Amino acid sequence: MSEDIRAQIGALQQAFEERPEGLLRHVQRVLVEALDLAERYDLDPERVELAVWGHDLFRSFAPADQLRLALECGLSLTAADRADPVLLHGPIAAVTMRERFGVSDEEALAAVRDHTLGAAEMPIIAKVILLADKFEKRKRDRTPVMKAIRRLAWRDLDTALLCWADWKWVQERENGWQSHPAGWAARLHWVAEHHAEMGLPAREPDEPTES
Ligand SMILES: [Fe+2]
Ligand SMILES: [Fe+2]
């Protein structure tokens, strides 16, 4: 099993010889963060490394190529995907890793697929990859709030994810960007889970106010 994973990682690294240098550097920075969290949460470092090397395999592809590849992969596209095809690079990479690189680790594939938008249910490895991708060194230098999210991730992955989703929501509203329905659905699920964990009662509809 481990030999398989090493060979798969090697093949993905080889593919990066044809990717832009800047993307390779990003993947290397994500790896530093992801391995740190892997140790904290007792995850197999090789599985984490596999997901890190796969997550941005198609990140540098032009939007038209992302759409073409997504269709070739048999992905069903929503209007939001067509409006912003770069969001497809995770799902395309997950299908390609399975079909071309022989990866069968379902949790690692889910981590690759959902690293951009998140998902309602995520294995721990997927939470680690998403967060490491968002607060790698260059990103947290550029966006200081990511430093706080990084510290939080060390204490609790779910709370860190929720804080990231809320930060993203503010960014979207401030800039007039649409929230992707899949990302928004994931956030709503995380909010509900967070409230359930805190033992808060379900939210009651507001009483109509008397005028
Ligand atoms: Fe990505
Ligand atoms: Fe990335």
Side-chain angles (χ1 to χ4, degrees):
M1 178 67 177
S2 182
E3 274 177 28
D4 283 353
I5 295 183
R6 286 301 341 152
Q8 289 161 356
I9 292 170
L12 287 164
Q13 286 170 325
Q14 213 170 2
F16 265 86
E17 288 173 12
E18 290 165 22
R19 298 293 184 267
E21 178 75 13
L23 185 60
L24 173 63
R25 297 275 169 256
H26 161 69
V27 170
Q28 290 168 333
R29 289 190 299 270
V30 174
L31 187 58
V32 171
E33 302 302 323
L35 288 178
D36 193 41
L37 287 173
E39 201 178 331
R40 164 72 180 84
Y41 291 103
D42 205 17
L43 297 174
D44 178 346
E46 287 194 331
R47 295 177 64 213
V48 170
E49 190 173 349
L50 178 67
V52 170
W53 279 106
H55 88 284
D56 273 350
L57 191 58
F58 295 100
R59 178 64 182 81
S60 57
F61 281 46
D65 291 329
Q66 306 254 4
L67 284 173
R68 178 180 53 78
L69 287 169
L71 291 172
E72 283 174 17
C73 286
L75 298 169
S76 50
L77 303 183
T78 64
D81 296 326
R82 290 185 188 279
D84 197 2
V86 74
L87 297 173
L88 293 164
H89 71 274
I92 293 168
V95 172
T96 306
M97 285 169 74
R98 185 198 300 279
E99 292 181 355
R100 222 173 71 204
F101 292 83
V103 176
S104 57
D105 182 333
E106 293 299 332
E107 292 190 347
L109 291 172
V112 169
R113 186 188 63 218
D114 297 327
H115 82 270
T116 308
L117 295 171
E121 302 292 344
M122 297 169 80
I124 295 177
I125 186 173
K127 296 174 183 176
V128 161
I129 300 299
L130 187 152
L131 287 165
D133 182 46
K134 307 303 176 287
F135 56 56
E136 52 95 332
K137 175 87 171 70
R138 187 139 186 255
K139 290 191 182 174
R140 67 178 182 268
D141 285 348
R142 205 167 48 199
T143 311
V145 71
M146 291 305 146
K147 290 182 182 145
I149 292 178
R150 181 171 180 254
R151 282 197 297 275
L152 197 49
W154 191 259
R155 289 168 59 198
D156 186 81
L157 290 173
D158 292 326
T159 313
L161 269 182
L162 188 50
C163 284
W164 165 74
D166 280 359
W167 168 83
K168 189 160 169 272
W169 178 26
V170 172
Q171 292 291 304
E172 287 164 350
R173 293 296 80 77
E174 282 184 354
N175 292 286
W177 301 330
Q178 289 289 316
S179 299
H180 191 289
W184 187 248
R187 179 188 170 274
L188 291 182
H189 184 87
W190 299 341
V191 170
E193 266 190 344
H194 183 68
H195 286 178
E197 268 167 30
M198 291 173 66
L200 293 175
R203 185 176 179 278
E204 299 275 345
D206 293 334
E207 292 286 329
T209 47
E210 293 197 18
S211 54

mmCIF file of all heavy atoms in Angstrom, residues 26 55-56 115 133, ligand 2:
data_model
loop_
_atom_site.group_PDB
_atom_site.id
_atom_site.type_symbol
_atom_site.label_atom_id
_atom_site.label_comp_id
_atom_site.label_asym_id
_atom_site.label_seq_id
_atom_site.Cartn_x
_atom_site.Cartn_y
_atom_site.Cartn_z
ATOM 1 N N HIS A 26 3.750 26.895 -4.418
ATOM 2 C CA HIS A 26 2.530 26.901 -3.583
ATOM 3 C C HIS A 26 2.279 25.500 -3.012
ATOM 4 O O HIS A 26 2.032 25.343 -1.813
ATOM 5 C CB HIS A 26 1.333 27.379 -4.413
ATOM 6 C CG HIS A 26 -0.002 27.004 -3.831
ATOM 7 N ND1 HIS A 26 -0.495 27.560 -2.664
ATOM 8 C CD2 HIS A 26 -0.936 26.092 -4.227
ATOM 9 C CE1 HIS A 26 -1.678 27.030 -2.382
ATOM 10 N NE2 HIS A 26 -1.966 26.126 -3.310
ATOM 11 N N HIS A 55 -3.883 18.229 -5.322
ATOM 12 C CA HIS A 55 -4.998 19.176 -5.196
ATOM 13 C C HIS A 55 -5.013 20.263 -6.283
ATOM 14 O O HIS A 55 -6.078 20.673 -6.731
ATOM 15 C CB HIS A 55 -5.052 19.775 -3.777
ATOM 16 C CG HIS A 55 -4.226 20.991 -3.566
ATOM 17 N ND1 HIS A 55 -2.857 20.959 -3.417
ATOM 18 C CD2 HIS A 55 -4.569 22.305 -3.474
ATOM 19 C CE1 HIS A 55 -2.407 22.191 -3.251
ATOM 20 N NE2 HIS A 55 -3.420 23.013 -3.277
ATOM 21 N N ASP A 56 -3.829 20.703 -6.724
ATOM 22 C CA ASP A 56 -3.807 21.783 -7.721
ATOM 23 C C ASP A 56 -3.224 21.343 -9.060
ATOM 24 O O ASP A 56 -2.697 22.169 -9.809
ATOM 25 C CB ASP A 56 -3.006 22.976 -7.169
ATOM 26 C CG ASP A 56 -3.877 23.921 -6.355
ATOM 27 O OD1 ASP A 56 -5.121 23.763 -6.372
ATOM 28 O OD2 ASP A 56 -3.324 24.820 -5.693
ATOM 29 N N HIS A 115 -11.352 20.761 -2.029
ATOM 30 C CA HIS A 115 -10.435 21.686 -1.348
ATOM 31 C C HIS A 115 -10.740 23.166 -1.621
ATOM 32 O O HIS A 115 -10.268 24.024 -0.903
ATOM 33 C CB HIS A 115 -8.974 21.378 -1.694
ATOM 34 C CG HIS A 115 -8.496 21.941 -2.999
ATOM 35 N ND1 HIS A 115 -8.592 21.256 -4.185
ATOM 36 C CD2 HIS A 115 -7.930 23.133 -3.311
ATOM 37 C CE1 HIS A 115 -8.089 22.000 -5.158
ATOM 38 N NE2 HIS A 115 -7.686 23.150 -4.660
ATOM 39 N N ASP A 133 -4.215 24.753 2.443
ATOM 40 C CA ASP A 133 -4.219 25.473 1.165
ATOM 41 C C ASP A 133 -4.508 26.963 1.363
ATOM 42 O O ASP A 133 -4.010 27.803 0.621
ATOM 43 C CB ASP A 133 -5.297 24.837 0.272
ATOM 44 C CG ASP A 133 -5.374 25.455 -1.106
ATOM 45 O OD1 ASP A 133 -4.306 25.647 -1.730
ATOM 46 O OD2 ASP A 133 -6.499 25.733 -1.567
HETATM 47 FE FE FE B 2 -3.814 25.146 -3.684
#
